[in-house]
Amino acid sequence: MAAEIVNSHGLDEDIIDPAFALHRGGKMAVQATVPVRDADELSLAYTPGVAKICSAIAEQPELVDDYTWKSQVVAVVTDGSAVLGLGDIGPQASLPVMEGKAILFKQFGGVDAIPLALECRDTDEIVETVVRLAPSFGGVNLEDIAAPRCFEIEARLKERLDVPVFHDDQHGTAIVTLAALRNAARLAGRPLGDLRTVISGAGAAGIAIAKILVEAGIGDVVVCDRKGIVSADRTDLTTVKRELAGFTNKTGRTGSLESAMDGADVFIGVSGGTVPEAAVATLAEGSFVFAMANPNPEIHPDVARKYAAVVATGRSDYPNQINNVLAFPGVFAGALQVRATDITEGMKLAAAEALAAVVADELSADCVIPSPFDERVAPAVTAAVAAAARAEGVARR
C-alpha cells in the first residue's frame, strides 16, 4: 500500500493515507521573530544595522549567544544508518523522523531545532562536518546513528566542542528508563541497590542504560547480546563491549539471556528479540518488566503481567510508555538555559530523578512514569538539569 501511494504521485494519496497528508510539504518551517515591514525595520534587521552586531561579536565572540539564535537552537544530526525500527534507510529517508524530532523539541521543550541529515558514514567525516557546523548551534543532538560508530562520534564531538552533545538513542532512553525504575522500586518499597537487573540488548541504548543504572546504584546489572551474557571471559567482544563487561556483571555470570533472567528482579528489553514465556516465568516474584522494542515488545504486556508487578513498554497504547520525549526536550532546555558546555552524568541523573518525581505521589502499577503530555515534565527536567549544570561547573551563566 505504501509503495503504491508513493509511486502514484496522485492527489488521492493524502486521502488514502492520513500520514501522507500530514507530512505533505514537511512538518516545520522557519519563522521570523522580528518584523520587517518597512525600510526602517529592514535597516535594523539587515544592513546597515546588522553590521554593528557583527562587529561587536567579532570583538567579543561570547556575544553571539546574546545577539543571535545560537544559544537557543539545537542541531539534530543523523547519517540515516539506524532509523527507528527501519534500520539503514539513508539520510533522505531519515528526514521525516528528524523533522519529527525537531518539532518535539519545540512542542515539549520550547527549543528550536534544525534537522541535518548527512550524506556520509565515515566517522572522521561526520565528526569534522559537525565541528564545522557547530558555530551555528547551541547544542548537538545525535540521532539514529548506528552502533558502535555512534559511541566514538559522540565522544570525539564532546572533546572538540564547547556546547552540549547528546546522543538521544543512548541517553534519552537511559534517563527515562531510570526514572521509571526508580518509581517502580518506590512503589514496591525496594531500594535500587537490591535489584538484580538483566538488559537484553548491548547496542547504544542497552549500554547507556547499563551505565546510568550503575551510576544510580543498582546492585547488579547483567547485559546480554545475541550470544548471551556479556562477560569478561568472552573473546569475541568489541572494544565497547569489553568496557561494558568491566563495569557490569559483577558476579561473573555466563550463559544465555534465559539463564540471566532466572531469579532477576528487573528485565529491560532494548533488543527487538522475543523472550519465551518460560523464561519470563523464572523472574523473581514482584519483578519489573520493561520490554521496550517497537512495535513488538520483547515480552508481550499480557504475558509480562502474569509474572511482573510493573510492566512498561515503548508503545503509547499501553501504560508506562518509556518515551524519549520525556527527557531530551527538558535536558536541552536546561543545558541551553545556563549555556552549559556539556551534558554530564550528574545532569542525566538529575533529569531522571526530576522526571520520576513528577508522579511520585500518584504511583500505581500503571503509573510509574508520566505521560509525554503531562505539562509538568519539561519544566521539572529543565530546572533540574540547569541546577545540576551549575553544581557540576559546566554552566556559563
Side-chain angles (χ1 to χ4, degrees):
M1 173 65 75
E4 293 173 2
I5 293 169
V6 172
N7 292 331
S8 71
H9 303 293
L11 296 177
D12 290 339
E13 65 189 35
D14 293 349
I15 300 172
I16 296 170
D17 190 325
F20 279 85
L22 183 143
H23 283 79
R24 180 173 287 280
K27 300 192 293 286
M28 57 186 294
V30 174
Q31 182 176 343
T33 60
V34 297
V36 185
R37 296 166 298 198
D38 54 36
D40 288 341
E41 290 176 348
L42 176 60
S43 69
L44 288 173
Y46 199 54
T47 185
V50 73
K52 297 178 183 179
I53 312 304
C54 294
S55 297
I57 294 171
E59 293 179 6
Q60 299 181 59
E62 67 275 10
L63 292 179
V64 70
D65 291 318
D66 294 311
Y67 293 103
T68 72
W69 78 337
K70 174 182 167 71
S71 65
Q72 304 167 62
V73 66
V74 171
V76 180
V77 179
T78 189
D79 63 359
S81 60
V83 180
L84 292 177
L86 302 173
D88 186 351
I89 60 174
Q92 291 192 100
S94 77
L95 266 177
V97 177
M98 300 309 117
E99 286 185 4
K101 197 78 172 191
I103 65 174
L104 295 181
F105 265 109
K106 190 66 172 180
Q107 176 72 26
F108 293 101
V111 173
D112 289 309
I114 301 295
L116 297 174
L118 306 183
E119 186 64 84
C120 57
R121 295 295 172 82
D122 180 78
T123 296
D124 291 340
E125 289 184 3
I126 293 173
V127 170
E128 292 302 323
T129 299
V130 176
V131 168
R132 285 170 170 76
L133 291 167
S136 296
F137 298 100
V140 175
N141 184 86
L142 300 173
E143 190 75 21
D144 293 349
I145 299 174
R149 188 166 65 252
C150 61
F151 302 115
E152 183 179 353
I153 290 170
E154 183 190 36
R156 288 172 59 181
L157 287 174
K158 286 171 74 74
E159 287 179 0
R160 294 186 60 179
L161 300 180
D162 65 349
V163 297
V165 178
F166 186 82
H167 185 206
D168 185 53
D169 301 318
Q170 294 183 60
H171 310 301
T173 307
I175 289 167
V176 183
T177 301
L178 174 58
L181 185 55
R182 280 192 179 280
N183 276 343
R186 284 172 179 150
L187 183 64
R190 300 192 61 184
L192 291 178
D194 287 353
L195 299 177
R196 182 163 77 81
T197 300
V198 175
I199 299 173
S200 175
I207 291 173
I209 290 169
K211 286 180 179 178
I212 202 169
L213 294 188
V214 170
E215 287 283 340
I218 293 288
D220 186 20
V221 178
V222 170
V223 183
C224 299
D225 62 11
R226 290 183 179 87
K227 296 182 179 179
I229 295 171
V230 176
S231 56
D233 64 337
R234 280 178 48 179
T235 59
D236 61 341
L237 299 180
T238 64
T239 301
V240 173
K241 288 183 182 179
R242 282 199 298 273
E243 293 173 358
L244 176 66
F247 66 84
T248 60
N249 193 16
K250 295 178 181 178
T251 58
R253 292 176 179 270
T254 59
S256 65
L257 169 65
E258 289 79 4
S259 68
M261 290 176 65
D262 190 2
D265 302 296
V266 183
F267 170 86
I268 296 172
V270 282
S271 64
T274 300
V275 177
E277 182 172 348
V280 184
T282 68
L283 291 169
E285 184 177 354
S287 61
F288 313 138
V289 169
F290 293 2
M292 301 188 294
N294 263 317
N296 300 311
E298 294 87 351
I299 303 169
H300 193 281
D302 293 343
V303 173
R305 288 193 188 99
K306 295 181 185 180
Y307 309 99
V310 175
V311 177
T313 72
R315 292 174 50 149
S316 60
D317 53 348
Y318 290 100
N320 299 323
Q321 184 189 17
I322 307 297
N323 191 327
N324 288 14
V325 76
L326 291 164
F328 69 82
V331 168
F332 268 100
L336 294 177
Q337 184 181 96
V338 298
R339 297 179 186 167
T341 57
D342 192 12
I343 294 174
T344 65
E345 294 304 313
M347 292 161 71
K348 297 170 198 172
L349 291 170
E353 184 61 45
L355 179 56
V358 169
V359 291
D361 296 330
E362 308 161 29
L363 295 181
S364 70
D366 287 342
C367 181
V368 296
I369 198 73
S371 161
F373 298 100
D374 190 323
E375 294 182 354
R376 300 171 294 176
V377 168
V381 174
T382 298
V385 169
R390 292 190 177 102
E392 301 222 325
V394 296
R396 285 180 282 202
R397 73 169 187 178

